[in-house]
Amino acid sequence: YQRRVREYQTFQHYFKQINLRNIMAGIMGRKLQAKLADAMSKRSHFSREEVDRLLTMYSALTAGGTRLDRNKFRDVLHNTFDMTDDILMDRVFRAFDKDMDSFLSQEEWVLGLSVFLKGTLEERVAYCFDVYDMNSDGYISREEMFQMLKNSMVKQTTEEDPDEGIKDIVELVLKKMDHDHDNRLSMDDFMKSVKEEDLLLEAFGPCLPDTKYREKFLADLESGNVDIDVSQAKS
């Protein structure tokens, strides 16, 4: 009997220690998140409370980890912002993934969403240019324009061979946007064109959220009711 009592006391002590460690880890985690939220609010367009909620969402998406993978991020784009274009969703991920390690850190998540949802015109122009510059050489080439336009327009046309029509559109775009006449678009070309005509911001495909989904997400984020469900993608 005394041996069982001692065993029971040992187990009690063991589980108390585990519980204490978990409590301490939770406290430390909340302190670190609060510190990060404070720092990130100064570098983004979000309030400290909004950053804290975004970090909580990040923690839920990564099961408490510090690396958000491409598939989970695509689920967010699809389920929350109704984005469906596979190529553009991959490009959006790359635009968020500044260190190009194929994962999003907490910082990349918050700063990326800051531009995605609340960016200035200059920030959004730079972001869209980054999305469209598929080989990251600092230019949007004819080939890149063709690829992105074909990807988005083939779904909307009944023509058997839409390539010729898309090539014509590429030429029209270059004529409109290629201010230095080098047969490709630089950041300066893109910025100048968008400032002259803001509809050209997403000239090569939608890579920013629709106003309806953007406003809903921001309203929920401000009120604290935001909830990201990545358990099931839309069909």
Side-chain angles (χ1 to χ4, degrees), residues 9-215:
Q9 290 173 337
T10 299
F11 277 119
Q12 268 193 324
H13 176 74
Y14 174 71
F15 285 117
K16 280 181 181 178
Q17 290 295 105
I18 291 177
N19 192 41
L20 180 61
R21 285 198 295 270
N22 288 340
I23 291 171
M24 291 302 295
I27 292 172
M28 291 300 293
R30 285 192 293 275
K31 284 184 177 180
L32 287 172
Q33 179 166 312
K35 186 176 181 180
L36 183 59
D38 187 56
M40 296 303 295
S41 66
K42 296 171 183 174
R43 299 177 56 199
S44 71
H45 299 297
F46 295 118
S47 68
R48 185 191 175 285
E49 291 75 19
E50 289 171 332
V51 174
D52 189 64
R53 288 165 189 152
L54 289 173
L55 292 174
T56 297
M57 290 156 49
Y58 180 95
S59 182
L61 288 166
T62 61
T66 57
R67 301 208 305 174
L68 178 61
D69 67 37
R70 183 190 307 269
N71 289 335
K72 283 286 180 66
F73 182 72
R74 281 167 56 100
D75 285 342
V76 172
L77 294 179
H78 185 66
N79 295 343
T80 307
F81 300 108
D82 201 34
M83 296 182 76
T84 58
D85 190 301
D86 288 334
I87 290 177
L88 285 173
M89 284 194 287
D90 276 340
R91 294 301 308 161
V92 171
F93 178 84
R94 289 182 180 274
F96 274 55
D97 181 23
K98 297 300 184 184
D99 63 4
M100 297 182 289
D101 68 347
S102 298
F103 293 93
L104 299 187
S105 66
Q106 292 169 309
E107 180 176 327
E108 288 170 333
W109 163 253
V110 172
L111 294 183
L113 286 174
S114 177
V115 174
F116 188 71
L117 297 167
K118 290 188 170 190
T120 64
L121 177 61
E122 288 75 15
E123 287 173 333
R124 286 180 288 126
V125 168
Y127 158 81
C128 289
F129 186 88
D130 196 13
V131 170
Y132 300 146
D133 178 15
M134 299 180 76
N135 65 358
S136 303
D137 67 349
Y139 295 93
I140 303 173
S141 67
R142 263 192 171 88
E143 292 73 21
E144 288 167 333
M145 294 179 211
F146 178 83
Q147 183 62 42
M148 286 179 290
L149 287 171
K150 182 176 181 178
N151 181 60
S152 60
M153 295 182 68
V154 164
K155 302 170 186 175
Q156 304 169 23
T157 183
T158 56
E159 295 179 31
E160 290 184 8
D161 183 13
D163 286 9
E164 287 305 314
I166 295 169
K167 288 177 182 176
D168 290 342
I169 293 172
V170 168
E171 294 308 312
L172 289 172
V173 168
L174 276 170
K175 186 175 180 180
K176 173 80 173 176
M177 300 178 72
D178 181 21
H179 294 281
D180 57 8
H181 308 293
D182 63 352
N183 294 311
R184 57 187 182 177
L185 300 185
S186 65
M187 173 67 85
D188 287 342
D189 289 330
F190 195 66
M191 181 73 74
K192 186 174 181 179
S193 298
V194 173
K195 286 186 174 180
E196 290 174 352
E197 175 52 75
D198 60 5
L199 291 176
L200 293 172
L201 179 62
E202 296 181 270
F204 306 113
C207 55
L208 287 164
D210 182 272
T211 301
K212 174 177 66 175
Y213 297 108
R214 173 184 170 275
E215 290 181 351

